[in-house]
Amino acid sequence: MTETPISSTQLPPKSGYVEVEVNGERTYRNVATGLLIDEEAQLPPEPTIMDKLADAYRKGVESA
């Protein structure tokens, strides 16, 4: 993977991201994590509060 510095933007601004060129294609890099936007899409989603509550309920039922 070759990342090239860019001198002028071509993509619309996206809050929390910077535009980068990787292997000749423009994409976004997350400023906080350093991940490319495509890499973020491959991460499993964070569990919601409902997921956590359901998991705690299942564990409680199974332990009874």
Side-chain angles (χ1 to χ4, degrees), residues 21-43:
E21 186 172 312
V22 179
N23 297 331
E25 288 191 39
R26 296 287 178 115
T27 188
Y28 297 100
R29 181 174 298 283
N30 187 309
V31 175
T33 66
L35 294 174
L36 295 175
I37 200 163
D38 295 337
E39 296 169 337
E40 290 179 329
Q42 297 171 7
L43 295 175

